[in-house]
mmCIF file of all heavy atoms in Angstrom:
data_model
loop_
_atom_site.group_PDB
_atom_site.id
_atom_site.type_symbol
_atom_site.label_atom_id
_atom_site.label_comp_id
_atom_site.label_asym_id
_atom_site.label_seq_id
_atom_site.Cartn_x
_atom_site.Cartn_y
_atom_site.Cartn_z
ATOM 1 N N GLY A 426 -13.963 -8.527 10.357
ATOM 2 C CA GLY A 426 -14.254 -7.827 9.127
ATOM 3 C C GLY A 426 -13.995 -8.661 7.842
ATOM 4 O O GLY A 426 -13.568 -9.783 7.957
ATOM 5 N N ARG A 427 -14.227 -8.048 6.745
ATOM 6 C CA ARG A 427 -13.932 -8.718 5.423
ATOM 7 C C ARG A 427 -13.089 -7.808 4.605
ATOM 8 O O ARG A 427 -13.485 -7.284 3.562
ATOM 9 C CB ARG A 427 -15.236 -9.058 4.662
ATOM 10 C CG ARG A 427 -16.113 -10.110 5.445
ATOM 11 C CD ARG A 427 -17.232 -10.554 4.474
ATOM 12 N NE ARG A 427 -18.120 -11.447 5.208
ATOM 13 C CZ ARG A 427 -19.156 -12.154 4.640
ATOM 14 N NH1 ARG A 427 -19.368 -11.929 3.356
ATOM 15 N NH2 ARG A 427 -19.894 -12.945 5.322
ATOM 16 N N PRO A 428 -11.823 -7.670 5.027
ATOM 17 C CA PRO A 428 -10.925 -6.779 4.214
ATOM 18 C C PRO A 428 -10.615 -7.396 2.903
ATOM 19 O O PRO A 428 -10.805 -8.568 2.649
ATOM 20 C CB PRO A 428 -9.692 -6.742 5.125
ATOM 21 C CG PRO A 428 -9.700 -7.987 5.916
ATOM 22 C CD PRO A 428 -11.138 -8.278 6.171
ATOM 23 N N HIS A 429 -10.024 -6.633 2.035
ATOM 24 C CA HIS A 429 -9.593 -7.063 0.696
ATOM 25 C C HIS A 429 -8.593 -8.262 0.881
ATOM 26 O O HIS A 429 -7.698 -8.140 1.728
ATOM 27 C CB HIS A 429 -8.932 -5.921 -0.038
ATOM 28 C CG HIS A 429 -8.731 -6.141 -1.482
ATOM 29 N ND1 HIS A 429 -7.981 -7.189 -2.019
ATOM 30 C CD2 HIS A 429 -9.194 -5.381 -2.565
ATOM 31 C CE1 HIS A 429 -7.996 -7.110 -3.332
ATOM 32 N NE2 HIS A 429 -8.682 -6.018 -3.719
ATOM 33 N N PRO A 430 -8.793 -9.331 0.187
ATOM 34 C CA PRO A 430 -7.867 -10.501 0.360
ATOM 35 C C PRO A 430 -6.413 -10.220 0.036
ATOM 36 O O PRO A 430 -5.552 -11.035 0.366
ATOM 37 C CB PRO A 430 -8.513 -11.600 -0.486
ATOM 38 C CG PRO A 430 -9.271 -10.797 -1.546
ATOM 39 C CD PRO A 430 -9.826 -9.622 -0.817
ATOM 40 N N ARG A 431 -6.119 -9.095 -0.604
ATOM 41 C CA ARG A 431 -4.731 -8.786 -0.911
ATOM 42 C C ARG A 431 -3.880 -8.688 0.360
ATOM 43 O O ARG A 431 -2.648 -8.853 0.323
ATOM 44 C CB ARG A 431 -4.659 -7.478 -1.699
ATOM 45 C CG ARG A 431 -5.091 -6.229 -0.987
ATOM 46 C CD ARG A 431 -5.324 -5.078 -1.916
ATOM 47 N NE ARG A 431 -5.702 -3.888 -1.118
ATOM 48 C CZ ARG A 431 -6.163 -2.728 -1.677
ATOM 49 N NH1 ARG A 431 -6.253 -2.663 -2.997
ATOM 50 N NH2 ARG A 431 -6.488 -1.727 -0.980
ATOM 51 N N GLY A 432 -4.489 -8.401 1.476
ATOM 52 C CA GLY A 432 -3.764 -8.350 2.710
ATOM 53 C C GLY A 432 -3.144 -9.620 3.102
ATOM 54 O O GLY A 432 -2.169 -9.680 3.882
ATOM 55 N N TYR A 433 -3.703 -10.783 2.705
ATOM 56 C CA TYR A 433 -3.164 -12.076 2.995
ATOM 57 C C TYR A 433 -2.654 -12.877 1.813
ATOM 58 O O TYR A 433 -1.950 -13.848 2.003
ATOM 59 C CB TYR A 433 -4.299 -12.936 3.635
ATOM 60 C CG TYR A 433 -4.690 -12.580 5.022
ATOM 61 C CD1 TYR A 433 -5.520 -11.496 5.296
ATOM 62 C CD2 TYR A 433 -4.223 -13.357 6.119
ATOM 63 C CE1 TYR A 433 -5.891 -11.210 6.636
ATOM 64 C CE2 TYR A 433 -4.599 -13.048 7.409
ATOM 65 C CZ TYR A 433 -5.421 -11.955 7.663
ATOM 66 O OH TYR A 433 -5.757 -11.624 8.968
ATOM 67 N N GLY A 434 -2.902 -12.385 0.592
ATOM 68 C CA GLY A 434 -2.639 -13.239 -0.530
ATOM 69 C C GLY A 434 -1.812 -12.661 -1.679
ATOM 70 O O GLY A 434 -1.489 -13.334 -2.635
ATOM 71 N N THR A 435 -1.468 -11.374 -1.654
ATOM 72 C CA THR A 435 -0.893 -10.705 -2.798
ATOM 73 C C THR A 435 0.325 -11.475 -3.436
ATOM 74 O O THR A 435 0.358 -11.783 -4.603
ATOM 75 C CB THR A 435 -0.397 -9.263 -2.476
ATOM 76 O OG1 THR A 435 -1.608 -8.494 -2.232
ATOM 77 C CG2 THR A 435 0.399 -8.647 -3.636
ATOM 78 N N PHE A 436 1.307 -11.769 -2.598
ATOM 79 C CA PHE A 436 2.587 -12.308 -3.117
ATOM 80 C C PHE A 436 2.468 -13.773 -3.566
ATOM 81 O O PHE A 436 2.946 -14.125 -4.668
ATOM 82 C CB PHE A 436 3.649 -12.021 -2.132
ATOM 83 C CG PHE A 436 3.985 -10.533 -2.022
ATOM 84 C CD1 PHE A 436 3.298 -9.779 -1.107
ATOM 85 C CD2 PHE A 436 4.905 -9.968 -2.832
ATOM 86 C CE1 PHE A 436 3.489 -8.438 -1.088
ATOM 87 C CE2 PHE A 436 5.116 -8.567 -2.743
ATOM 88 C CZ PHE A 436 4.441 -7.796 -1.852
ATOM 89 N N PRO A 437 1.879 -14.649 -2.752
ATOM 90 C CA PRO A 437 1.644 -16.018 -3.281
ATOM 91 C C PRO A 437 0.728 -16.094 -4.499
ATOM 92 O O PRO A 437 0.945 -16.872 -5.374
ATOM 93 C CB PRO A 437 1.118 -16.755 -2.084
ATOM 94 C CG PRO A 437 0.633 -15.720 -1.127
ATOM 95 C CD PRO A 437 1.491 -14.504 -1.349
ATOM 96 N N ARG A 438 -0.221 -15.202 -4.540
ATOM 97 C CA ARG A 438 -1.130 -15.193 -5.704
ATOM 98 C C ARG A 438 -0.405 -14.738 -6.942
ATOM 99 O O ARG A 438 -0.578 -15.332 -8.017
ATOM 100 C CB ARG A 438 -2.290 -14.187 -5.413
ATOM 101 C CG ARG A 438 -3.290 -14.027 -6.586
ATOM 102 C CD ARG A 438 -4.337 -13.005 -6.246
ATOM 103 N NE ARG A 438 -5.278 -12.699 -7.320
ATOM 104 C CZ ARG A 438 -6.414 -13.386 -7.499
ATOM 105 N NH1 ARG A 438 -6.709 -14.422 -6.680
ATOM 106 N NH2 ARG A 438 -7.174 -13.104 -8.504
ATOM 107 N N PHE A 439 0.419 -13.706 -6.827
ATOM 108 C CA PHE A 439 1.236 -13.243 -7.960
ATOM 109 C C PHE A 439 2.106 -14.405 -8.489
ATOM 110 O O PHE A 439 2.156 -14.693 -9.679
ATOM 111 C CB PHE A 439 2.097 -12.056 -7.543
ATOM 112 C CG PHE A 439 3.169 -11.739 -8.520
ATOM 113 C CD1 PHE A 439 2.865 -11.193 -9.808
ATOM 114 C CD2 PHE A 439 4.523 -11.931 -8.223
ATOM 115 C CE1 PHE A 439 3.837 -10.911 -10.729
ATOM 116 C CE2 PHE A 439 5.492 -11.592 -9.136
ATOM 117 C CZ PHE A 439 5.180 -11.046 -10.393
ATOM 118 N N LEU A 440 2.826 -15.102 -7.560
ATOM 119 C CA LEU A 440 3.735 -16.134 -8.005
ATOM 120 C C LEU A 440 2.979 -17.359 -8.546
ATOM 121 O O LEU A 440 3.402 -17.910 -9.569
ATOM 122 C CB LEU A 440 4.622 -16.577 -6.792
ATOM 123 C CG LEU A 440 5.678 -15.579 -6.349
ATOM 124 C CD1 LEU A 440 6.366 -16.044 -5.083
ATOM 125 C CD2 LEU A 440 6.698 -15.296 -7.433
ATOM 126 N N ARG A 441 1.860 -17.710 -7.935
ATOM 127 C CA ARG A 441 1.157 -18.887 -8.381
ATOM 128 C C ARG A 441 0.391 -18.654 -9.676
ATOM 129 O O ARG A 441 0.537 -19.336 -10.709
ATOM 130 C CB ARG A 441 0.152 -19.371 -7.310
ATOM 131 C CG ARG A 441 -0.772 -20.495 -7.702
ATOM 132 C CD ARG A 441 -0.098 -21.837 -7.512
ATOM 133 N NE ARG A 441 0.728 -22.277 -8.633
ATOM 134 C CZ ARG A 441 1.772 -23.054 -8.501
ATOM 135 N NH1 ARG A 441 2.209 -23.383 -7.314
ATOM 136 N NH2 ARG A 441 2.479 -23.425 -9.573
ATOM 137 N N ARG A 442 -0.485 -17.628 -9.631
ATOM 138 C CA ARG A 442 -1.466 -17.450 -10.717
ATOM 139 C C ARG A 442 -0.835 -16.760 -11.950
ATOM 140 O O ARG A 442 -1.194 -17.143 -13.100
ATOM 141 C CB ARG A 442 -2.607 -16.589 -10.218
ATOM 142 C CG ARG A 442 -3.694 -16.380 -11.186
ATOM 143 C CD ARG A 442 -5.006 -15.898 -10.535
ATOM 144 N NE ARG A 442 -6.055 -15.672 -11.502
ATOM 145 C CZ ARG A 442 -7.355 -15.557 -11.217
ATOM 146 N NH1 ARG A 442 -7.744 -15.654 -9.921
ATOM 147 N NH2 ARG A 442 -8.272 -15.373 -12.175
ATOM 148 N N TYR A 443 0.071 -15.828 -11.775
ATOM 149 C CA TYR A 443 0.524 -15.047 -12.849
ATOM 150 C C TYR A 443 1.987 -15.359 -13.344
ATOM 151 O O TYR A 443 2.374 -14.999 -14.449
ATOM 152 C CB TYR A 443 0.387 -13.533 -12.534
ATOM 153 C CG TYR A 443 -1.038 -13.206 -12.356
ATOM 154 C CD1 TYR A 443 -1.585 -12.962 -11.076
ATOM 155 C CD2 TYR A 443 -1.895 -13.055 -13.431
ATOM 156 C CE1 TYR A 443 -2.914 -12.706 -10.898
ATOM 157 C CE2 TYR A 443 -3.226 -12.783 -13.309
ATOM 158 C CZ TYR A 443 -3.739 -12.589 -12.038
ATOM 159 O OH TYR A 443 -5.063 -12.276 -11.887
ATOM 160 N N VAL A 444 2.755 -16.042 -12.464
ATOM 161 C CA VAL A 444 4.055 -16.395 -12.833
ATOM 162 C C VAL A 444 4.173 -17.928 -13.147
ATOM 163 O O VAL A 444 4.431 -18.276 -14.253
ATOM 164 C CB VAL A 444 5.102 -16.019 -11.756
ATOM 165 C CG1 VAL A 444 6.528 -16.497 -12.105
ATOM 166 C CG2 VAL A 444 5.111 -14.523 -11.529
ATOM 167 N N LEU A 445 3.981 -18.772 -12.136
ATOM 168 C CA LEU A 445 4.132 -20.194 -12.362
ATOM 169 C C LEU A 445 3.069 -20.811 -13.245
ATOM 170 O O LEU A 445 3.409 -21.613 -14.120
ATOM 171 C CB LEU A 445 4.105 -20.839 -11.009
ATOM 172 C CG LEU A 445 5.279 -20.571 -10.059
ATOM 173 C CD1 LEU A 445 5.004 -20.964 -8.655
ATOM 174 C CD2 LEU A 445 6.520 -21.285 -10.605
#
Side-chain angles (χ1 to χ4, degrees):
R427 295 191 183 185
H429 196 301
R431 64 194 182 190
Y433 286 80
T435 290
F436 292 87
R438 179 183 176 88
F439 168 69
L440 290 173
R441 174 84 274 149
R442 182 164 181 164
Y443 297 103
V444 177
L445 292 164

